mmCIF file of all heavy atoms in Angstrom:
data_model
loop_
_atom_site.group_PDB
_atom_site.id
_atom_site.type_symbol
_atom_site.label_atom_id
_atom_site.label_comp_id
_atom_site.label_asym_id
_atom_site.label_seq_id
_atom_site.Cartn_x
_atom_site.Cartn_y
_atom_site.Cartn_z
ATOM 1 N N ASP V 291 8.178 5.162 -4.999
ATOM 2 C CA ASP V 291 7.616 5.484 -6.304
ATOM 3 C C ASP V 291 6.174 4.990 -6.342
ATOM 4 O O ASP V 291 5.686 4.435 -5.370
ATOM 5 C CB ASP V 291 8.455 4.804 -7.409
ATOM 6 C CG ASP V 291 8.405 5.597 -8.723
ATOM 7 O OD1 ASP V 291 7.460 6.395 -8.902
ATOM 8 O OD2 ASP V 291 9.313 5.416 -9.551
ATOM 9 N N TRP V 292 5.528 5.174 -7.509
ATOM 10 C CA TRP V 292 4.147 4.702 -7.661
ATOM 11 C C TRP V 292 4.043 3.197 -7.422
ATOM 12 O O TRP V 292 3.010 2.699 -7.007
ATOM 13 C CB TRP V 292 3.636 5.010 -9.069
ATOM 14 C CG TRP V 292 3.311 6.436 -9.312
ATOM 15 C CD1 TRP V 292 4.125 7.379 -9.873
ATOM 16 C CD2 TRP V 292 2.073 7.103 -9.028
ATOM 17 N NE1 TRP V 292 3.463 8.581 -9.946
ATOM 18 C CE2 TRP V 292 2.213 8.441 -9.450
ATOM 19 C CE3 TRP V 292 0.857 6.679 -8.472
ATOM 20 C CZ2 TRP V 292 1.176 9.377 -9.321
ATOM 21 C CZ3 TRP V 292 -0.173 7.614 -8.346
ATOM 22 C CH2 TRP V 292 0.003 8.943 -8.764
ATOM 23 N N ASP V 293 5.126 2.463 -7.736
ATOM 24 C CA ASP V 293 5.055 1.006 -7.593
ATOM 25 C C ASP V 293 5.712 0.529 -6.297
ATOM 26 O O ASP V 293 6.074 -0.633 -6.172
ATOM 27 C CB ASP V 293 5.671 0.306 -8.818
ATOM 28 C CG ASP V 293 7.173 0.512 -8.910
ATOM 29 O OD1 ASP V 293 7.720 1.375 -8.178
ATOM 30 O OD2 ASP V 293 7.814 -0.190 -9.718
ATOM 31 N N ASP V 294 5.864 1.416 -5.353
ATOM 32 C CA ASP V 294 6.338 0.991 -4.031
ATOM 33 C C ASP V 294 5.351 -0.066 -3.507
ATOM 34 O O ASP V 294 4.139 0.139 -3.560
ATOM 35 C CB ASP V 294 6.364 2.223 -3.096
ATOM 36 C CG ASP V 294 7.003 1.907 -1.756
ATOM 37 O OD1 ASP V 294 6.494 1.008 -1.051
ATOM 38 O OD2 ASP V 294 7.988 2.571 -1.402
ATOM 39 N N PRO V 295 5.876 -1.191 -3.016
ATOM 40 C CA PRO V 295 4.977 -2.269 -2.577
ATOM 41 C C PRO V 295 4.007 -1.881 -1.463
ATOM 42 O O PRO V 295 3.081 -2.625 -1.172
ATOM 43 C CB PRO V 295 5.943 -3.356 -2.115
ATOM 44 C CG PRO V 295 7.178 -3.112 -2.908
ATOM 45 C CD PRO V 295 7.290 -1.621 -3.013
ATOM 46 N N ARG V 296 4.198 -0.722 -0.847
ATOM 47 C CA ARG V 296 3.232 -0.285 0.183
ATOM 48 C C ARG V 296 2.072 0.481 -0.407
ATOM 49 O O ARG V 296 1.109 0.820 0.283
ATOM 50 C CB ARG V 296 3.942 0.601 1.215
ATOM 51 C CG ARG V 296 4.944 -0.146 2.057
ATOM 52 C CD ARG V 296 5.848 0.794 2.812
ATOM 53 N NE ARG V 296 6.740 1.519 1.906
ATOM 54 C CZ ARG V 296 7.654 2.386 2.285
ATOM 55 N NH1 ARG V 296 7.794 2.668 3.562
ATOM 56 N NH2 ARG V 296 8.421 2.998 1.404
ATOM 57 N N MET V 297 2.170 0.833 -1.695
ATOM 58 C CA MET V 297 1.130 1.645 -2.330
ATOM 59 C C MET V 297 -0.067 0.772 -2.715
ATOM 60 O O MET V 297 0.098 -0.387 -3.079
ATOM 61 C CB MET V 297 1.697 2.318 -3.583
ATOM 62 C CG MET V 297 2.706 3.405 -3.279
ATOM 63 S SD MET V 297 1.898 4.938 -2.787
ATOM 64 C CE MET V 297 1.677 5.709 -4.403
ATOM 65 N N PRO V 298 -1.289 1.368 -2.671
ATOM 66 C CA PRO V 298 -2.463 0.595 -3.101
ATOM 67 C C PRO V 298 -2.632 0.613 -4.616
ATOM 68 O O PRO V 298 -3.708 0.348 -5.138
ATOM 69 C CB PRO V 298 -3.617 1.341 -2.417
ATOM 70 C CG PRO V 298 -3.155 2.757 -2.367
ATOM 71 C CD PRO V 298 -1.658 2.705 -2.162
ATOM 72 N N THR V 299 -1.556 0.953 -5.312
ATOM 73 C CA THR V 299 -1.608 0.942 -6.772
ATOM 74 C C THR V 299 -1.508 -0.495 -7.291
ATOM 75 O O THR V 299 -0.950 -1.362 -6.623
ATOM 76 C CB THR V 299 -0.426 1.733 -7.364
ATOM 77 O OG1 THR V 299 0.776 1.243 -6.759
ATOM 78 C CG2 THR V 299 -0.560 3.215 -7.079
ATOM 79 N N ILE V 300 -1.989 -0.695 -8.511
ATOM 80 C CA ILE V 300 -1.878 -2.024 -9.117
ATOM 81 C C ILE V 300 -0.399 -2.365 -9.294
ATOM 82 O O ILE V 300 0.035 -3.484 -9.017
ATOM 83 C CB ILE V 300 -2.652 -2.069 -10.453
ATOM 84 C CG1 ILE V 300 -4.149 -1.865 -10.177
ATOM 85 C CG2 ILE V 300 -2.422 -3.402 -11.169
ATOM 86 C CD1 ILE V 300 -5.025 -1.808 -11.405
ATOM 87 N N SER V 301 0.402 -1.375 -9.706
ATOM 88 C CA SER V 301 1.829 -1.647 -9.912
ATOM 89 C C SER V 301 2.535 -1.937 -8.583
ATOM 90 O O SER V 301 3.460 -2.749 -8.531
ATOM 91 C CB SER V 301 2.500 -0.484 -10.636
ATOM 92 O OG SER V 301 2.154 0.744 -10.036
ATOM 93 N N GLY V 302 2.109 -1.281 -7.507
ATOM 94 C CA GLY V 302 2.680 -1.557 -6.188
ATOM 95 C C GLY V 302 2.323 -2.966 -5.737
ATOM 96 O O GLY V 302 3.155 -3.692 -5.184
ATOM 97 N N MET V 303 1.076 -3.343 -5.973
ATOM 98 C CA MET V 303 0.638 -4.685 -5.557
ATOM 99 C C MET V 303 1.334 -5.759 -6.372
ATOM 100 O O MET V 303 1.659 -6.827 -5.850
ATOM 101 C CB MET V 303 -0.881 -4.776 -5.682
ATOM 102 C CG MET V 303 -1.563 -3.884 -4.653
ATOM 103 S SD MET V 303 -3.352 -3.966 -4.729
ATOM 104 C CE MET V 303 -3.733 -2.994 -3.246
ATOM 105 N N ARG V 304 1.569 -5.463 -7.653
ATOM 106 C CA ARG V 304 2.294 -6.419 -8.502
ATOM 107 C C ARG V 304 3.707 -6.608 -7.960
ATOM 108 O O ARG V 304 4.199 -7.710 -7.805
ATOM 109 C CB ARG V 304 2.335 -5.887 -9.939
ATOM 110 C CG ARG V 304 3.251 -6.694 -10.864
ATOM 111 C CD ARG V 304 3.050 -6.309 -12.325
ATOM 112 N NE ARG V 304 3.315 -4.907 -12.564
ATOM 113 C CZ ARG V 304 2.453 -4.051 -13.094
ATOM 114 N NH1 ARG V 304 1.241 -4.443 -13.449
ATOM 115 N NH2 ARG V 304 2.772 -2.794 -13.277
ATOM 116 N N ARG V 305 4.358 -5.486 -7.636
ATOM 117 C CA ARG V 305 5.730 -5.559 -7.124
ATOM 118 C C ARG V 305 5.777 -6.274 -5.772
ATOM 119 O O ARG V 305 6.724 -6.975 -5.446
ATOM 120 C CB ARG V 305 6.274 -4.136 -7.008
ATOM 121 C CG ARG V 305 7.734 -4.114 -6.661
ATOM 122 C CD ARG V 305 8.346 -2.771 -6.954
ATOM 123 N NE ARG V 305 9.769 -2.807 -6.656
ATOM 124 C CZ ARG V 305 10.614 -1.835 -6.952
ATOM 125 N NH1 ARG V 305 10.175 -0.755 -7.566
ATOM 126 N NH2 ARG V 305 11.886 -1.944 -6.649
ATOM 127 N N ARG V 306 4.739 -6.086 -5.009
ATOM 128 C CA ARG V 306 4.648 -6.734 -3.708
ATOM 129 C C ARG V 306 4.482 -8.243 -3.839
ATOM 130 O O ARG V 306 4.782 -8.991 -2.917
ATOM 131 C CB ARG V 306 3.436 -6.134 -2.985
ATOM 132 C CG ARG V 306 3.096 -6.729 -1.651
ATOM 133 C CD ARG V 306 3.620 -5.874 -0.537
ATOM 134 N NE ARG V 306 3.171 -6.370 0.749
ATOM 135 C CZ ARG V 306 2.658 -5.610 1.699
ATOM 136 N NH1 ARG V 306 2.512 -4.309 1.502
ATOM 137 N NH2 ARG V 306 2.292 -6.113 2.846
ATOM 138 N N GLY V 307 3.943 -8.685 -4.998
ATOM 139 C CA GLY V 307 3.777 -10.123 -5.210
ATOM 140 C C GLY V 307 2.326 -10.564 -5.335
ATOM 141 O O GLY V 307 2.041 -11.748 -5.479
ATOM 142 N N TYR V 308 1.383 -9.599 -5.264
ATOM 143 C CA TYR V 308 -0.018 -9.959 -5.460
ATOM 144 C C TYR V 308 -0.188 -10.484 -6.877
ATOM 145 O O TYR V 308 0.513 -10.043 -7.793
ATOM 146 C CB TYR V 308 -0.928 -8.725 -5.276
ATOM 147 C CG TYR V 308 -1.078 -8.251 -3.852
ATOM 148 C CD1 TYR V 308 -0.172 -8.625 -2.864
ATOM 149 C CD2 TYR V 308 -2.134 -7.419 -3.499
ATOM 150 C CE1 TYR V 308 -0.328 -8.176 -1.556
ATOM 151 C CE2 TYR V 308 -2.293 -6.959 -2.196
ATOM 152 C CZ TYR V 308 -1.390 -7.333 -1.228
ATOM 153 O OH TYR V 308 -1.547 -6.886 0.051
ATOM 154 N N THR V 309 -1.120 -11.390 -7.065
ATOM 155 C CA THR V 309 -1.339 -11.954 -8.400
ATOM 156 C C THR V 309 -2.591 -11.336 -9.019
ATOM 157 O O THR V 309 -3.509 -10.934 -8.305
ATOM 158 C CB THR V 309 -1.538 -13.477 -8.318
ATOM 159 O OG1 THR V 309 -2.667 -13.728 -7.462
ATOM 160 C CG2 THR V 309 -0.312 -14.165 -7.745
ATOM 161 N N PRO V 310 -2.657 -11.315 -10.353
ATOM 162 C CA PRO V 310 -3.869 -10.816 -11.005
ATOM 163 C C PRO V 310 -5.090 -11.637 -10.594
ATOM 164 O O PRO V 310 -6.169 -11.070 -10.360
ATOM 165 C CB PRO V 310 -3.591 -10.999 -12.498
ATOM 166 C CG PRO V 310 -2.136 -11.226 -12.635
ATOM 167 C CD PRO V 310 -1.609 -11.689 -11.322
ATOM 168 N N ALA V 311 -4.904 -12.955 -10.455
ATOM 169 C CA ALA V 311 -6.047 -13.804 -10.085
ATOM 170 C C ALA V 311 -6.576 -13.426 -8.699
ATOM 171 O O ALA V 311 -7.788 -13.413 -8.475
ATOM 172 C CB ALA V 311 -5.628 -15.266 -10.106
ATOM 173 N N ALA V 312 -5.665 -13.081 -7.783
ATOM 174 C CA ALA V 312 -6.097 -12.709 -6.432
ATOM 175 C C ALA V 312 -6.892 -11.403 -6.468
ATOM 176 O O ALA V 312 -7.898 -11.261 -5.767
ATOM 177 C CB ALA V 312 -4.884 -12.570 -5.519
#
Side-chain angles (χ1 to χ4, degrees):
D291 208 339
W292 286 95
D293 68 348
D294 187 301
R296 292 166 292 181
M297 290 281 271
T299 51
I300 296 177
S301 48
M303 292 181 172
R304 171 169 59 237
R305 187 163 182 172
R306 176 100 174 227
Y308 288 18
T309 59

